[in-house]
Amino acid sequence: MKRKWLMAFTALILTFSLALLGCNSDSKTGGKSGGKNGKGTKLEIFSWWTGAGEEDGLKAILADFKKKHPDINVVNAAVAGGAGTNAKAVLANRMQAGDPPSTFQVHGGAELNDGWVAAGKMEPLDDLYDKEGWRDKFPKDLIDLVSKDGKIYSVPVDIHRGNVIFYNKKIFEENGLQPPKTFDDFKAVADKLLKKGITPLALGDKEPWAATMVFEDILLGKLGPDDYRGLWTGKVGFDDPRVKDAAETFKSWIPYFNKDHSSRNWQDAAQLVGEGKAAMNIMGDWAKGYFTNDLKLKTNVDFGWTTTPNTSDDFMVITDTFGLPKGIDNPDQVKTFLSYLGSTEAQDIFNPLKGSIPARVDADPSKYDEYGKQTMEDFKTAHITPSLAHGSAAPEGFLTKVNNAMNIFVTQQNVDNFINTLVSASSDLK
Amino acid sequence: MTAKAFTRPLMYLILALLSILFLIPVYVVIVTSLKPLDEVTLAKMWALPTHIDFSSYAEAFSKLAPNFWNSVYLVIPATILSAFLGSLNGYVLSKWRFKGADWIFTAVLFGMFIPYQSILIPLIRFLSHIGLYNTIPGLILVHVVYGIPITTLMFRNFYASIPMEMIESAQIDGAGIFKIYRHIMIPLSLLGLVVVGIWQFTNIWNEFLFAVTITTTDQHPIMVALQNLSGSQIVQWNVQMAGAIIAALPTLLVYIFLGKFFVRGMLAGSVKG
Amino acid sequence: MTLQPETKTHPTIKPKTKKRLSKDRWLAFLFILPSIILIAIFVYGFIAWTGYVSLSNWNSLVPDLSFVGLKNYLFLFHDFRFQADLRNTLFFTILFILCVLILGLFLAVLLDRKIRGESVFRNIFLFPMALSFIVTGVVWQWILNPSTGVNLILHKLGLKPMWYTSVSVIPGVEWGKIQFGIPVAIIAVVIAAVWQMTGFSLAMYLAGLRAIPEELREAARIDGANEFQVFTKVIFPQLMPITVSVIIIMAHISLKIFDLIYAMTGPGANFVTDVPGVYMYETTFRGNFYGNGAAIAIIMLLFVAIFIVPYLISSRKGGES
């Protein structure tokens, strides 16, 4: 008797509070991404494209897609926050909870393959590639980057290059400097600038991946594309003397950085170059979008670019791709969207706005600026190598360890410690 | 006597100096937020604006408005629900004590001090499971649950001051537990409700860890949006400072108008019960 | 959980009322049952769950709950970042509590002296309590930024503190993998935290001072004690319980601090301003090291429990007597 009472009362209180919460969910949030209810009716595009150019690009393709498919309810579910780290955390929670977004942004390479594909969360897209005839529309190296065990898992939308030095043209002209091609050039240029009292290399490693990017470019320059790739497959060890040489080189560059690098993020560092307070900045070419969109600088007038030392024939690639998660209600709508994303039409709307180049080789170069045109040419011929700092080369776990080690290395400048950490972390790699 | 004549001005001097130090951030925030963009330069940081310009407020508000409303939708139901639960618990634990009630109370209180990191991983999975991850109702649930210890403590201490004789004479008159609660406790709870309400309102409005881990962009409460707005030199500082003021305004207003109750809640949450 | 309603009732209660009373006692328990269940699940159940995760191999995107013993904990104690976190937390907690206690007590004593405009002064020191750590972090980040803020004034005096961008650790003795000592950068965070929390100790001490009967002071003065002695011999001992409460409340805030540091500095170069709360957040939700993150969370919980459990037990006893 008593027990029944107790149960009834508890049940009452619980239903009451849940009902209250339920009401709130309907009236206040309008069911916006409100859990599982009504998910089937919408196509949720999950990304971290919230910055200036990229947000414009995303909105433009979404608008174009809506015009073509007015019956599909497209929802832009972009999550803000440094280089996608926030978005990735959210994605991980949702995937683990069995509530994946309809499709989501993921870097090609390890982030896709060792992450979601290995976890068995993605559907292969080979049939889509065959249907659209895409197999020869993307470079083979790139398709390999989004494939695991012979199956293709995502559609690349854009290409960014990671091994770029942006430099302030005025500073270079005033000091009679040429953009450096080799490590020796770089040292000569930087030393000269340092003597003049100009910060040679702007860095903003408040989020340590920015320093990791500089290091991976040095690694690529020292090892060459094949052995750089070998680092991630285990063919080349991190105890290789050339890796140590790369670390030594990084260490020798530390005096070239702006002193407050640890309190700046990458945009703040790029801004130093834009404002003429520093001469060079090593960053992915999204920095170009930042220069032109946010700082209103002119390409090849206010700032110039070159590749990082010894990597002119290489292309450190960062590619944003979208795939088809398992367990969603509307795979057909997603495939419709993915076909659109893979079209030259969509890629030529999106990429000029974002400041990236299309992943397809048959896109229309006339839509791109001077930098874009040249990079599109380079992309066709260069050796494509995966970026570590952006999760393409190695799993997130390894990257986290490298970023932590980087944060320590930049301050302590202890090469042996750094190499030891890399070697022990690399035991996680297959 | 002469010592006293000397020490009193000295006391005022010290207080004035410390007040100035404490108000420096306020000065900087207000001055910066009222500056037009071209005056927000390093060299002029400490100077007063040449003319007052509210454009940074407009910009900050346009960026923060959705999140501001998220916070409002979060904080109101969460405060009401947790005050209600706290009042029920406080009533029982102060007036209807049963054996073991003290142990239960202590065990509940512990929940107030835990680092929430230690429940975060299961919490997120649980919320995802019941479909409340990344929703305001999910955050409401979290704040109600983790608000139970503090609201219970506050109401228990508050009701302790209501004399037991009142309850007992009501019982003699035949009033039961519900009747006593409805007709004696609730009418006497107003002060307690205000104190608890203000405390929960302030805490939930200001909370960050749950907000940043349980919700994403669209659902973010204002503190997360403010944090995302800041920390970079790209977003102009006047906008960031205006954003900080907008985010702080509700709790500041509560403090200005109801400060006495706020301080009472602050003390109630810590003084031994 | 056994339910044994207390049997002692009012002597004059009629038998009928007595019966209803025993029913009411059941209802009373039912009233708080939902809260007890919620706390049992959301606090104790989830802590146990986190404890289990901390002993598991779940250090990737995909949950892997196979048991690995103390591996995650061993990893942490050999980890540079976690060692630095422990150092930072230790010195942050000490400096923060000391400053809050001293400044709060000092201000309370001043304000207790029948100061004109007392409420104005009191509100100036108290209002930051109503702010969020995020707001505090955002504002102080700017004020203490070495190239902006207060340094513009200090430069004129020839001072150029690096504030939270400093990487020095004083004295910097080698200990484990890290340099042991006070990280200079943490001082900037302490300043911001003290600015925000001093109001708490001020309010506590002020309430305590006001509760001390004037006769006590008078008696001491009549015995020939000067004002300083009155304070040290009479007033301060009376304030001891308050001091203990403030220390414990501040310690638990400081041990689990996250938002202030996250908003103001982040982990910092060489992890000079990193704390377990930030590490847990980043390693779990960004690096997908759930096992490591859970282990950090459990260690944080243990630290807090060391302070809180004795406090709770003693105040339970105090409440009963």
PDB file of all heavy atoms in Angstrom, chain B residues 214-238:
ATOM      1  N   ILE B 214      27.264  21.656 -22.699  1.00  0.00           N
ATOM      2  CA  ILE B 214      25.986  21.019 -22.981  1.00  0.00           C
ATOM      3  C   ILE B 214      25.284  21.641 -24.177  1.00  0.00           C
ATOM      4  O   ILE B 214      24.453  21.013 -24.816  1.00  0.00           O
ATOM      5  CB  ILE B 214      25.093  21.045 -21.710  1.00  0.00           C
ATOM      6  CG1 ILE B 214      25.698  20.097 -20.690  1.00  0.00           C
ATOM      7  CG2 ILE B 214      23.656  20.652 -21.997  1.00  0.00           C
ATOM      8  CD1 ILE B 214      25.054  20.148 -19.346  1.00  0.00           C
ATOM      9  N   THR B 215      25.623  22.901 -24.492  1.00  0.00           N
ATOM     10  CA  THR B 215      24.946  23.529 -25.617  1.00  0.00           C
ATOM     11  C   THR B 215      25.939  23.936 -26.697  1.00  0.00           C
ATOM     12  O   THR B 215      27.138  24.005 -26.469  1.00  0.00           O
ATOM     13  CB  THR B 215      24.192  24.794 -25.169  1.00  0.00           C
ATOM     14  OG1 THR B 215      25.126  25.657 -24.542  1.00  0.00           O
ATOM     15  CG2 THR B 215      23.087  24.462 -24.213  1.00  0.00           C
ATOM     16  N   THR B 216      25.408  24.204 -27.887  1.00  0.00           N
ATOM     17  CA  THR B 216      26.234  24.722 -28.967  1.00  0.00           C
ATOM     18  C   THR B 216      25.636  26.036 -29.459  1.00  0.00           C
ATOM     19  O   THR B 216      24.578  26.447 -28.999  1.00  0.00           O
ATOM     20  CB  THR B 216      26.295  23.729 -30.139  1.00  0.00           C
ATOM     21  OG1 THR B 216      24.985  23.621 -30.681  1.00  0.00           O
ATOM     22  CG2 THR B 216      26.744  22.368 -29.675  1.00  0.00           C
ATOM     23  N   THR B 217      26.361  26.633 -30.407  1.00  0.00           N
ATOM     24  CA  THR B 217      26.132  28.009 -30.842  1.00  0.00           C
ATOM     25  C   THR B 217      24.724  28.569 -30.657  1.00  0.00           C
ATOM     26  O   THR B 217      24.542  29.548 -29.947  1.00  0.00           O
ATOM     27  CB  THR B 217      26.517  28.156 -32.318  1.00  0.00           C
ATOM     28  OG1 THR B 217      27.669  27.353 -32.526  1.00  0.00           O
ATOM     29  CG2 THR B 217      26.827  29.571 -32.675  1.00  0.00           C
ATOM     30  N   ASP B 218      23.738  27.925 -31.296  1.00  0.00           N
ATOM     31  CA  ASP B 218      22.392  28.486 -31.253  1.00  0.00           C
ATOM     32  C   ASP B 218      21.820  28.517 -29.847  1.00  0.00           C
ATOM     33  O   ASP B 218      21.023  29.378 -29.520  1.00  0.00           O
ATOM     34  CB  ASP B 218      21.448  27.635 -32.110  1.00  0.00           C
ATOM     35  CG  ASP B 218      21.654  27.919 -33.566  1.00  0.00           C
ATOM     36  OD1 ASP B 218      22.389  28.885 -33.851  1.00  0.00           O
ATOM     37  OD2 ASP B 218      21.113  27.188 -34.395  1.00  0.00           O
ATOM     38  N   GLN B 219      22.207  27.545 -29.042  1.00  0.00           N
ATOM     39  CA  GLN B 219      21.596  27.405 -27.729  1.00  0.00           C
ATOM     40  C   GLN B 219      22.469  28.010 -26.635  1.00  0.00           C
ATOM     41  O   GLN B 219      22.108  27.976 -25.470  1.00  0.00           O
ATOM     42  CB  GLN B 219      21.366  25.923 -27.409  1.00  0.00           C
ATOM     43  CG  GLN B 219      20.718  25.142 -28.526  1.00  0.00           C
ATOM     44  CD  GLN B 219      19.295  25.570 -28.764  1.00  0.00           C
ATOM     45  OE1 GLN B 219      18.566  25.866 -27.838  1.00  0.00           O
ATOM     46  NE2 GLN B 219      18.908  25.644 -30.017  1.00  0.00           N
ATOM     47  N   HIS B 220      23.657  28.509 -27.002  1.00  0.00           N
ATOM     48  CA  HIS B 220      24.571  29.004 -25.977  1.00  0.00           C
ATOM     49  C   HIS B 220      23.948  30.113 -25.144  1.00  0.00           C
ATOM     50  O   HIS B 220      23.421  31.081 -25.685  1.00  0.00           O
ATOM     51  CB  HIS B 220      25.823  29.596 -26.627  1.00  0.00           C
ATOM     52  CG  HIS B 220      26.897  28.591 -26.874  1.00  0.00           C
ATOM     53  ND1 HIS B 220      27.106  27.513 -26.073  1.00  0.00           N
ATOM     54  CD2 HIS B 220      27.859  28.546 -27.811  1.00  0.00           C
ATOM     55  CE1 HIS B 220      28.134  26.821 -26.534  1.00  0.00           C
ATOM     56  NE2 HIS B 220      28.611  27.415 -27.590  1.00  0.00           N
ATOM     57  N   PRO B 221      24.054  29.998 -23.829  1.00  0.00           N
ATOM     58  CA  PRO B 221      23.716  31.149 -22.997  1.00  0.00           C
ATOM     59  C   PRO B 221      24.738  32.267 -23.195  1.00  0.00           C
ATOM     60  O   PRO B 221      25.786  32.064 -23.814  1.00  0.00           O
ATOM     61  CB  PRO B 221      23.786  30.594 -21.571  1.00  0.00           C
ATOM     62  CG  PRO B 221      23.720  29.118 -21.726  1.00  0.00           C
ATOM     63  CD  PRO B 221      24.358  28.816 -23.051  1.00  0.00           C
ATOM     64  N   ILE B 222      24.452  33.397 -22.620  1.00  0.00           N
ATOM     65  CA  ILE B 222      25.220  34.592 -22.979  1.00  0.00           C
ATOM     66  C   ILE B 222      26.689  34.524 -22.580  1.00  0.00           C
ATOM     67  O   ILE B 222      27.551  35.052 -23.280  1.00  0.00           O
ATOM     68  CB  ILE B 222      24.545  35.847 -22.394  1.00  0.00           C
ATOM     69  CG1 ILE B 222      25.249  37.092 -22.908  1.00  0.00           C
ATOM     70  CG2 ILE B 222      24.555  35.829 -20.878  1.00  0.00           C
ATOM     71  CD1 ILE B 222      24.360  38.229 -23.139  1.00  0.00           C
ATOM     72  N   MET B 223      26.991  33.869 -21.470  1.00  0.00           N
ATOM     73  CA  MET B 223      28.388  33.869 -21.033  1.00  0.00           C
ATOM     74  C   MET B 223      29.296  33.188 -22.056  1.00  0.00           C
ATOM     75  O   MET B 223      30.425  33.611 -22.272  1.00  0.00           O
ATOM     76  CB  MET B 223      28.515  33.179 -19.676  1.00  0.00           C
ATOM     77  CG  MET B 223      28.015  34.017 -18.530  1.00  0.00           C
ATOM     78  SD  MET B 223      28.777  35.647 -18.517  1.00  0.00           S
ATOM     79  CE  MET B 223      27.514  36.584 -17.689  1.00  0.00           C
ATOM     80  N   VAL B 224      28.808  32.124 -22.662  1.00  0.00           N
ATOM     81  CA  VAL B 224      29.626  31.443 -23.660  1.00  0.00           C
ATOM     82  C   VAL B 224      29.783  32.335 -24.888  1.00  0.00           C
ATOM     83  O   VAL B 224      30.862  32.432 -25.470  1.00  0.00           O
ATOM     84  CB  VAL B 224      29.005  30.093 -24.045  1.00  0.00           C
ATOM     85  CG1 VAL B 224      29.943  29.327 -24.946  1.00  0.00           C
ATOM     86  CG2 VAL B 224      28.675  29.286 -22.812  1.00  0.00           C
ATOM     87  N   ALA B 225      28.706  32.993 -25.254  1.00  0.00           N
ATOM     88  CA  ALA B 225      28.779  33.885 -26.412  1.00  0.00           C
ATOM     89  C   ALA B 225      29.759  35.024 -26.142  1.00  0.00           C
ATOM     90  O   ALA B 225      30.532  35.415 -27.020  1.00  0.00           O
ATOM     91  CB  ALA B 225      27.395  34.435 -26.726  1.00  0.00           C
ATOM     92  N   LEU B 226      29.750  35.523 -24.917  1.00  0.00           N
ATOM     93  CA  LEU B 226      30.680  36.594 -24.565  1.00  0.00           C
ATOM     94  C   LEU B 226      32.115  36.093 -24.661  1.00  0.00           C
ATOM     95  O   LEU B 226      32.988  36.763 -25.221  1.00  0.00           O
ATOM     96  CB  LEU B 226      30.392  37.103 -23.147  1.00  0.00           C
ATOM     97  CG  LEU B 226      31.387  38.112 -22.597  1.00  0.00           C
ATOM     98  CD1 LEU B 226      31.317  39.410 -23.375  1.00  0.00           C
ATOM     99  CD2 LEU B 226      31.160  38.366 -21.122  1.00  0.00           C
ATOM    100  N   GLN B 227      32.335  34.910 -24.141  1.00  0.00           N
ATOM    101  CA  GLN B 227      33.685  34.334 -24.208  1.00  0.00           C
ATOM    102  C   GLN B 227      34.111  34.144 -25.658  1.00  0.00           C
ATOM    103  O   GLN B 227      35.245  34.409 -26.020  1.00  0.00           O
ATOM    104  CB  GLN B 227      33.697  33.030 -23.412  1.00  0.00           C
ATOM    105  CG  GLN B 227      34.673  31.965 -23.885  1.00  0.00           C
ATOM    106  CD  GLN B 227      36.113  32.343 -23.658  1.00  0.00           C
ATOM    107  OE1 GLN B 227      36.399  33.223 -22.860  1.00  0.00           O
ATOM    108  NE2 GLN B 227      37.012  31.690 -24.375  1.00  0.00           N
ATOM    109  N   ASN B 228      33.184  33.704 -26.514  1.00  0.00           N
ATOM    110  CA  ASN B 228      33.536  33.524 -27.923  1.00  0.00           C
ATOM    111  C   ASN B 228      33.818  34.854 -28.608  1.00  0.00           C
ATOM    112  O   ASN B 228      34.605  34.925 -29.537  1.00  0.00           O
ATOM    113  CB  ASN B 228      32.399  32.809 -28.669  1.00  0.00           C
ATOM    114  CG  ASN B 228      32.364  31.334 -28.346  1.00  0.00           C
ATOM    115  OD1 ASN B 228      33.337  30.778 -27.842  1.00  0.00           O
ATOM    116  ND2 ASN B 228      31.241  30.703 -28.611  1.00  0.00           N
ATOM    117  N   LEU B 229      33.147  35.882 -28.125  1.00  0.00           N
ATOM    118  CA  LEU B 229      33.324  37.210 -28.720  1.00  0.00           C
ATOM    119  C   LEU B 229      34.698  37.785 -28.376  1.00  0.00           C
ATOM    120  O   LEU B 229      35.259  38.587 -29.102  1.00  0.00           O
ATOM    121  CB  LEU B 229      32.234  38.128 -28.163  1.00  0.00           C
ATOM    122  CG  LEU B 229      32.026  39.510 -28.753  1.00  0.00           C
ATOM    123  CD1 LEU B 229      31.458  39.379 -30.143  1.00  0.00           C
ATOM    124  CD2 LEU B 229      31.061  40.301 -27.881  1.00  0.00           C
ATOM    125  N   SER B 230      35.229  37.356 -27.253  1.00  0.00           N
ATOM    126  CA  SER B 230      36.429  38.015 -26.741  1.00  0.00           C
ATOM    127  C   SER B 230      37.679  37.203 -27.034  1.00  0.00           C
ATOM    128  O   SER B 230      37.648  36.212 -27.731  1.00  0.00           O
ATOM    129  CB  SER B 230      36.310  38.201 -25.241  1.00  0.00           C
ATOM    130  OG  SER B 230      36.577  36.970 -24.607  1.00  0.00           O
ATOM    131  N   GLY B 231      38.764  37.656 -26.471  1.00  0.00           N
ATOM    132  CA  GLY B 231      39.990  36.880 -26.530  1.00  0.00           C
ATOM    133  C   GLY B 231      40.725  37.027 -27.837  1.00  0.00           C
ATOM    134  O   GLY B 231      41.665  36.314 -28.112  1.00  0.00           O
ATOM    135  N   SER B 232      40.314  37.954 -28.653  1.00  0.00           N
ATOM    136  CA  SER B 232      41.033  38.148 -29.896  1.00  0.00           C
ATOM    137  C   SER B 232      41.035  39.625 -30.211  1.00  0.00           C
ATOM    138  O   SER B 232      40.127  40.345 -29.830  1.00  0.00           O
ATOM    139  CB  SER B 232      40.339  37.392 -31.012  1.00  0.00           C
ATOM    140  OG  SER B 232      40.569  38.048 -32.230  1.00  0.00           O
ATOM    141  N   GLN B 233      42.074  40.040 -30.895  1.00  0.00           N
ATOM    142  CA  GLN B 233      42.124  41.450 -31.216  1.00  0.00           C
ATOM    143  C   GLN B 233      41.345  41.777 -32.479  1.00  0.00           C
ATOM    144  O   GLN B 233      41.286  42.919 -32.901  1.00  0.00           O
ATOM    145  CB  GLN B 233      43.588  41.906 -31.326  1.00  0.00           C
ATOM    146  CG  GLN B 233      44.191  42.057 -29.945  1.00  0.00           C
ATOM    147  CD  GLN B 233      45.674  41.801 -29.891  1.00  0.00           C
ATOM    148  OE1 GLN B 233      46.402  42.087 -30.829  1.00  0.00           O
ATOM    149  NE2 GLN B 233      46.138  41.249 -28.798  1.00  0.00           N
ATOM    150  N   ILE B 234      40.712  40.764 -33.059  1.00  0.00           N
ATOM    151  CA  ILE B 234      39.940  41.030 -34.271  1.00  0.00           C
ATOM    152  C   ILE B 234      38.642  41.724 -33.908  1.00  0.00           C
ATOM    153  O   ILE B 234      38.244  42.670 -34.548  1.00  0.00           O
ATOM    154  CB  ILE B 234      39.534  39.742 -34.979  1.00  0.00           C
ATOM    155  CG1 ILE B 234      40.711  38.812 -35.038  1.00  0.00           C
ATOM    156  CG2 ILE B 234      39.014  40.026 -36.352  1.00  0.00           C
ATOM    157  CD1 ILE B 234      40.252  37.428 -35.298  1.00  0.00           C
ATOM    158  N   VAL B 235      37.987  41.181 -32.891  1.00  0.00           N
ATOM    159  CA  VAL B 235      36.775  41.849 -32.448  1.00  0.00           C
ATOM    160  C   VAL B 235      37.214  43.089 -31.691  1.00  0.00           C
ATOM    161  O   VAL B 235      38.028  43.005 -30.782  1.00  0.00           O
ATOM    162  CB  VAL B 235      35.946  40.938 -31.535  1.00  0.00           C
ATOM    163  CG1 VAL B 235      34.709  41.658 -31.056  1.00  0.00           C
ATOM    164  CG2 VAL B 235      35.564  39.671 -32.269  1.00  0.00           C
ATOM    165  N   GLN B 236      36.663  44.211 -32.089  1.00  0.00           N
ATOM    166  CA  GLN B 236      37.125  45.450 -31.484  1.00  0.00           C
ATOM    167  C   GLN B 236      36.849  45.471 -29.986  1.00  0.00           C
ATOM    168  O   GLN B 236      35.826  44.981 -29.523  1.00  0.00           O
ATOM    169  CB  GLN B 236      36.439  46.631 -32.172  1.00  0.00           C
ATOM    170  CG  GLN B 236      36.870  46.807 -33.611  1.00  0.00           C
ATOM    171  CD  GLN B 236      38.351  47.042 -33.757  1.00  0.00           C
ATOM    172  OE1 GLN B 236      38.981  47.585 -32.858  1.00  0.00           O
ATOM    173  NE2 GLN B 236      38.929  46.625 -34.865  1.00  0.00           N
ATOM    174  N   TRP B 237      37.769  46.074 -29.277  1.00  0.00           N
ATOM    175  CA  TRP B 237      37.668  46.045 -27.820  1.00  0.00           C
ATOM    176  C   TRP B 237      36.443  46.777 -27.308  1.00  0.00           C
ATOM    177  O   TRP B 237      35.868  46.390 -26.297  1.00  0.00           O
ATOM    178  CB  TRP B 237      38.924  46.642 -27.201  1.00  0.00           C
ATOM    179  CG  TRP B 237      39.989  45.616 -27.098  1.00  0.00           C
ATOM    180  CD1 TRP B 237      41.095  45.482 -27.880  1.00  0.00           C
ATOM    181  CD2 TRP B 237      40.033  44.531 -26.173  1.00  0.00           C
ATOM    182  NE1 TRP B 237      41.811  44.379 -27.501  1.00  0.00           N
ATOM    183  CE2 TRP B 237      41.184  43.790 -26.465  1.00  0.00           C
ATOM    184  CE3 TRP B 237      39.191  44.104 -25.141  1.00  0.00           C
ATOM    185  CZ2 TRP B 237      41.541  42.652 -25.740  1.00  0.00           C
ATOM    186  CZ3 TRP B 237      39.541  42.971 -24.436  1.00  0.00           C
ATOM    187  CH2 TRP B 237      40.706  42.259 -24.732  1.00  0.00           C
ATOM    188  N   ASN B 238      36.040  47.832 -27.988  1.00  0.00           N
ATOM    189  CA  ASN B 238      34.852  48.531 -27.491  1.00  0.00           C
ATOM    190  C   ASN B 238      33.638  47.621 -27.547  1.00  0.00           C
ATOM    191  O   ASN B 238      32.791  47.633 -26.667  1.00  0.00           O
ATOM    192  CB  ASN B 238      34.623  49.835 -28.269  1.00  0.00           C
ATOM    193  CG  ASN B 238      34.596  49.611 -29.761  1.00  0.00           C
ATOM    194  OD1 ASN B 238      35.003  48.562 -30.247  1.00  0.00           O
ATOM    195  ND2 ASN B 238      34.110  50.585 -30.496  1.00  0.00           N
TER     196      ASN B 238
END
